[in-house]
Amino acid sequence: GAGVSQSPSNKVTEKGKDVELRCDPISGHTALYWYRQRLGQGLEFLIYFQGNSAPDKSGLPSDRFSAERTGESVSTLTIQRTQQEDSAVYLCASSPLGFSSAFFGQGTRLTVV
Amino acid sequence: DQQVKQNSPSLSVQEGRISILNCDYTNSMFDYFLWYKKYPAEGPTFLISISSIKDKNEDGRFTVFLNKSAKHLSLHIVPSQPGDSAVYFCAASGRAGFQKLVFGTGTRLLVSP
């Protein structure tokens, strides 16, 4: 597709289970970001991939969170042993090299019950 | 440590009037600033940006002003239209295209007919 694609669009999981969220960036975009937005709050940075450089993981809230990206393609965000406070919309964005205006996907709404 | 702040959570404006959304930042290393617009259940979409070498950038009804000495930027929408009703996020980057975007908490704009 032409835009950033995220799947699933909605995910309900039980507390303590692991979840995996997927992001397909726009083809050719070297930069990929993960953000989350909890209810009533702003966009919280999680992790940033730029080409083959080491990712900026400074926003990951705990070691239960991890993300991978193979080359300049798909990225997966994994949350282990989910907690209720992990409930949020997880947004992925991508941008071409040297371009600061990131393009966002529609997000994955994660609900931990 | 909130490096990008939007102190007004909401703003109501009448159709045809000017909407002014404000944003403050604390990190003097930021040199590229962006505004995003977000409708419910959608990802944020890029609206307008400004580099620190400028103090104004205009695109149709949207103008962004940057005051580097005050570490303040604002987005002016004139005339405001009901379709502008959305949440507006201010974002900043340390170097165009090479660093993560840091977002503010957003301002919900409501434009009434």
Side-chain angles (χ1 to χ4, degrees):
Chain A
V4 177
S5 177
Q6 291 187 247
S7 60
S9 53
N10 281 284
K11 175 74 177 177
V12 180
T13 190
E14 291 182 352
K15 179 181 170 182
K17 298 277 178 115
D18 298 352
V19 295
E20 192 172 275
L21 312 180
R22 177 185 169 109
C23 173
D24 283 88
I26 295 171
S27 178
H29 282 194
T30 58
L32 187 146
Y33 309 75
W34 283 98
Y35 289 85
R36 74 175 175 183
Q37 185 179 21
R38 289 192 273 194
L39 190 64
Q41 301 193 16
L43 292 167
E44 178 186 3
F45 168 76
L46 297 177
I47 188 168
Y48 167 58
F49 296 89
Q50 176 59 277
N52 293 320
S53 302
D56 178 349
K57 302 181 181 181
S58 60
L60 293 178
S62 78
D63 59 8
R64 296 187 295 104
F65 287 72
S66 62
E68 291 185 352
R69 187 185 187 193
T70 305
E72 295 181 359
S73 61
V74 171
S75 175
T76 54
L77 176 69
T78 301
I79 309 173
Q80 295 178 310
R81 305 181 302 282
T82 51
Q83 303 294 313
Q84 287 186 327
E85 63 263 26
D86 299 334
S87 296
V89 176
Y90 288 81
L91 291 157
C92 175
S94 69
S95 67
L97 182 65
F99 191 70
S100 275
S101 172
F103 298 85
F104 281 83
Q106 289 193 315
T108 294
R109 181 176 297 278
L110 175 67
T111 305
V112 182
V113 296
Chain B
D1 175 28
Q2 191 70 33
Q3 297 186 68
V4 178
K5 300 176 185 179
Q6 293 178 257
N7 292 318
S8 298
S10 63
L11 175 68
S12 292
V13 171
Q14 277 196 318
E15 182 178 8
R17 302 286 191 119
I18 185 170
S19 296
I20 300 176
L21 296 101
N22 293 305
C23 177
D24 298 290
Y25 61 96
T26 58
N27 189 337
S28 57
M29 297 300 290
F30 288 146
D31 64 2
Y32 196 77
F33 304 90
L34 307 90
W35 284 94
Y36 281 80
K37 176 178 175 179
K38 185 180 185 301
Y39 292 116
E42 295 184 10
T45 54
F46 169 73
L47 196 55
I48 192 169
S49 63
I50 188 166
S51 164
S52 61
I53 62 173
K54 292 184 159 186
D55 55 18
K56 176 182 174 181
N57 187 26
E58 192 171 350
D59 183 2
R61 296 186 297 112
F62 302 90
T63 303
V64 56
F65 294 92
L66 175 63
N67 182 333
K68 281 186 67 179
S69 61
K71 294 191 178 68
H72 176 84
L73 64 154
S74 61
L75 174 68
H76 292 210
I77 307 173
V78 56
S80 302
Q81 300 173 353
D84 296 330
S85 298
V87 177
Y88 289 78
F89 290 97
C90 168
S93 173
R95 197 156 61 104
F98 292 93
Q99 289 194 16
K100 67 193 183 200
L101 293 173
V102 179
F103 282 83
T105 51
T107 296
R108 183 177 301 277
L109 174 66
L110 177 62
V111 181
S112 53

